[in-house]
Amino acid sequence: GSDVRPMIVIVGKSGDMNPFGSNKDRIAKWILQEANKCGAFQNQRKVIEASSGSTAISLSSIAHIMGLEPIIYLPNDIA
C-alpha cells in the first residue's frame, strides 16, 4: 500500500487580531496612508468621518496614532 498523504494547507484570518478588533482597521489604515502619500495632510491634520460604527472607531484610532486630529460626526438618532 501507498503511504502517500496529501499536503493540506489551511489558511484563515481572525478578525479579532486586528489592532482595534474590527475588520475595518485595515481599510482605515490604507485610506489614511494613501491620503498621506498624496499629500492630503500637508496643510491640515484633520480627518473627518460621518459614521457611527466600527469604521469611525478604526479611523479615529489610527488617525490619532498617525498624529492626526480625528473628528467624528454621529447621526442624531445614535445613542
Side-chain angles (χ1 to χ4, degrees):
S2 175
D3 199 22
V4 176
R5 297 184 180 158
M7 181 175 172
I8 299 173
V9 177
I10 298 174
V11 179
K13 181 183 83 65
S14 177
D16 63 344
M17 297 298 286
N18 290 317
F20 304 102
S22 169
N23 60 354
K24 304 293 176 111
D25 293 347
R26 289 186 314 273
I27 190 65
K29 180 181 176 186
W30 182 85
I31 289 169
L32 293 173
Q33 286 178 333
E34 290 299 308
N36 195 37
K37 284 182 197 174
C38 294
F41 303 123
Q42 288 180 355
N43 297 324
Q44 58 89 27
R45 307 291 294 169
K46 294 180 180 172
V47 175
I48 300 170
E49 167 69 8
S51 172
S52 62
S54 55
T55 301
I57 294 168
S58 294
L59 277 170
S60 177
S61 301
I62 294 169
H64 182 74
I65 288 169
M66 292 176 67
L68 303 169
E69 180 185 347
I71 300 171
I72 308 299
Y73 287 95
L74 298 174
N76 290 334
D77 60 347
I78 298 298

Short mmCIF file of all heavy atoms in Angstrom, two decimals, residues 3-4 7 11 15 21-23 26-27 31-32 36 39 48 52 54 59 64 69-70 72-73:
data_model
loop_
_atom_site.label_atom_id
_atom_site.label_comp_id
_atom_site.label_asym_id
_atom_site.label_seq_id
_atom_site.Cartn_x
_atom_site.Cartn_y
_atom_site.Cartn_z
N ASP A 3 1.80 4.92 1.14
CA ASP A 3 1.73 5.72 2.37
C ASP A 3 1.82 7.21 2.03
O ASP A 3 2.36 7.99 2.79
CB ASP A 3 2.84 5.30 3.33
CG ASP A 3 2.56 5.74 4.76
OD1 ASP A 3 1.39 5.98 5.08
OD2 ASP A 3 3.53 5.84 5.53
N VAL A 4 1.30 7.58 0.85
CA VAL A 4 1.35 8.97 0.41
C VAL A 4 0.14 9.70 0.98
O VAL A 4 -1.00 9.25 0.83
CB VAL A 4 1.35 9.06 -1.13
CG1 VAL A 4 1.30 10.52 -1.57
CG2 VAL A 4 2.54 8.35 -1.70
N MET A 7 -0.81 16.89 0.97
CA MET A 7 -0.46 18.04 1.80
C MET A 7 -1.64 19.00 1.79
O MET A 7 -2.11 19.43 0.75
CB MET A 7 0.77 18.75 1.25
CG MET A 7 1.19 19.92 2.08
SD MET A 7 2.72 20.58 1.42
CE MET A 7 2.85 22.04 2.39
N VAL A 11 -5.57 28.10 5.60
CA VAL A 11 -5.23 29.47 5.89
C VAL A 11 -6.49 30.17 6.38
O VAL A 11 -7.55 30.04 5.80
CB VAL A 11 -4.68 30.19 4.64
CG1 VAL A 11 -4.35 31.65 4.94
CG2 VAL A 11 -3.47 29.46 4.09
N GLY A 15 -10.46 38.07 12.68
CA GLY A 15 -10.77 39.48 12.80
C GLY A 15 -10.38 40.08 14.13
O GLY A 15 -10.04 41.26 14.21
N GLY A 21 -9.69 45.41 16.86
CA GLY A 21 -10.70 44.36 16.90
C GLY A 21 -11.74 44.39 15.81
O GLY A 21 -12.72 43.68 15.87
N SER A 22 -11.51 45.21 14.77
CA SER A 22 -12.51 45.34 13.72
C SER A 22 -11.90 45.01 12.36
O SER A 22 -10.72 45.29 12.11
CB SER A 22 -13.05 46.77 13.68
OG SER A 22 -13.83 46.97 12.51
N ASN A 23 -12.72 44.46 11.48
CA ASN A 23 -12.23 44.22 10.12
C ASN A 23 -12.09 45.53 9.35
O ASN A 23 -11.55 45.56 8.26
CB ASN A 23 -13.15 43.25 9.38
CG ASN A 23 -14.56 43.76 9.26
OD1 ASN A 23 -14.92 44.79 9.82
ND2 ASN A 23 -15.39 43.04 8.54
N ARG A 26 -7.96 47.54 8.78
CA ARG A 26 -7.04 47.51 7.63
C ARG A 26 -7.43 48.55 6.58
O ARG A 26 -6.56 49.25 6.05
CB ARG A 26 -7.01 46.11 7.01
CG ARG A 26 -6.31 45.10 7.86
CD ARG A 26 -6.17 43.76 7.14
NE ARG A 26 -7.40 43.34 6.49
CZ ARG A 26 -8.37 42.64 7.08
NH1 ARG A 26 -8.23 42.27 8.32
NH2 ARG A 26 -9.45 42.31 6.44
N ILE A 27 -8.71 48.68 6.29
CA ILE A 27 -9.13 49.64 5.27
C ILE A 27 -8.93 51.06 5.77
O ILE A 27 -8.53 51.95 5.02
CB ILE A 27 -10.58 49.39 4.79
CG1 ILE A 27 -10.90 50.25 3.55
CG2 ILE A 27 -11.59 49.67 5.87
CD1 ILE A 27 -10.11 49.91 2.33
N ILE A 31 -6.65 53.77 3.83
CA ILE A 31 -7.18 55.07 3.40
C ILE A 31 -6.30 56.20 3.92
O ILE A 31 -5.93 57.11 3.16
CB ILE A 31 -8.64 55.25 3.91
CG1 ILE A 31 -9.57 54.32 3.13
CG2 ILE A 31 -9.09 56.70 3.79
CD1 ILE A 31 -10.97 54.24 3.74
N LEU A 32 -5.95 56.15 5.19
CA LEU A 32 -5.15 57.23 5.78
C LEU A 32 -3.72 57.24 5.21
O LEU A 32 -3.17 58.32 4.96
CB LEU A 32 -5.13 57.10 7.30
CG LEU A 32 -6.50 57.35 7.96
CD1 LEU A 32 -6.43 57.05 9.45
CD2 LEU A 32 -6.98 58.78 7.72
N ASN A 36 -2.15 60.28 3.02
CA ASN A 36 -0.89 60.87 3.44
C ASN A 36 0.11 60.87 2.28
O ASN A 36 0.81 61.87 2.06
CB ASN A 36 -0.34 60.12 4.64
CG ASN A 36 0.76 60.88 5.34
OD1 ASN A 36 0.71 62.10 5.45
ND2 ASN A 36 1.76 60.17 5.82
N GLY A 39 -0.38 63.64 -0.09
CA GLY A 39 -0.18 64.97 0.46
C GLY A 39 -1.41 65.60 1.06
O GLY A 39 -1.45 66.82 1.27
N ILE A 48 -12.03 63.84 9.01
CA ILE A 48 -13.44 63.97 9.35
C ILE A 48 -14.19 62.76 8.80
O ILE A 48 -14.06 62.42 7.63
CB ILE A 48 -14.02 65.28 8.76
CG1 ILE A 48 -13.24 66.47 9.33
CG2 ILE A 48 -15.51 65.39 9.06
CD1 ILE A 48 -13.55 67.78 8.67
N SER A 52 -21.10 56.02 12.59
CA SER A 52 -21.34 55.69 13.99
C SER A 52 -20.86 54.28 14.34
O SER A 52 -21.11 53.79 15.42
CB SER A 52 -22.84 55.78 14.29
OG SER A 52 -23.54 54.83 13.49
N SER A 54 -17.93 50.81 13.36
CA SER A 54 -16.55 50.38 13.51
C SER A 54 -15.60 51.14 12.59
O SER A 54 -14.42 51.30 12.91
CB SER A 54 -16.43 48.88 13.27
OG SER A 54 -16.96 48.54 12.01
N LEU A 59 -10.93 54.56 12.04
CA LEU A 59 -10.33 55.78 11.50
C LEU A 59 -9.84 56.69 12.62
O LEU A 59 -8.75 57.26 12.55
CB LEU A 59 -11.34 56.52 10.62
CG LEU A 59 -11.45 56.03 9.19
CD1 LEU A 59 -12.63 56.69 8.49
CD2 LEU A 59 -10.18 56.30 8.41
N HIS A 64 -5.32 59.05 15.13
CA HIS A 64 -4.67 59.52 16.35
C HIS A 64 -3.23 59.01 16.44
O HIS A 64 -2.30 59.76 16.76
CB HIS A 64 -5.47 59.09 17.58
CG HIS A 64 -4.88 59.58 18.87
ND1 HIS A 64 -4.97 60.88 19.27
CD2 HIS A 64 -4.19 58.93 19.82
CE1 HIS A 64 -4.35 61.02 20.42
NE2 HIS A 64 -3.87 59.84 20.79
N GLU A 69 -5.80 64.67 13.72
CA GLU A 69 -6.92 65.01 14.61
C GLU A 69 -8.22 64.43 14.04
O GLU A 69 -8.78 64.98 13.10
CB GLU A 69 -7.05 66.52 14.73
CG GLU A 69 -8.19 66.95 15.63
CD GLU A 69 -8.38 68.46 15.64
OE1 GLU A 69 -7.51 69.20 15.17
OE2 GLU A 69 -9.45 68.88 16.13
N PRO A 70 -8.70 63.33 14.60
CA PRO A 70 -9.95 62.76 14.09
C PRO A 70 -11.17 63.54 14.61
O PRO A 70 -11.23 63.92 15.77
CB PRO A 70 -9.95 61.34 14.65
CG PRO A 70 -9.08 61.40 15.86
CD PRO A 70 -8.08 62.50 15.61
N ILE A 72 -15.29 62.99 14.44
CA ILE A 72 -16.33 62.04 14.07
C ILE A 72 -17.70 62.69 14.28
O ILE A 72 -18.00 63.20 15.35
CB ILE A 72 -16.24 60.75 14.92
CG1 ILE A 72 -14.82 60.17 14.89
CG2 ILE A 72 -17.28 59.72 14.48
CD1 ILE A 72 -14.30 59.78 13.53
N TYR A 73 -18.51 62.69 13.24
CA TYR A 73 -19.88 63.20 13.32
C TYR A 73 -20.83 62.01 13.39
O TYR A 73 -20.78 61.12 12.55
CB TYR A 73 -20.22 64.06 12.11
CG TYR A 73 -19.55 65.40 12.14
CD1 TYR A 73 -18.34 65.61 11.48
CD2 TYR A 73 -20.11 66.46 12.86
CE1 TYR A 73 -17.71 66.84 11.52
CE2 TYR A 73 -19.48 67.70 12.91
CZ TYR A 73 -18.29 67.87 12.23
OH TYR A 73 -17.67 69.09 12.28
#
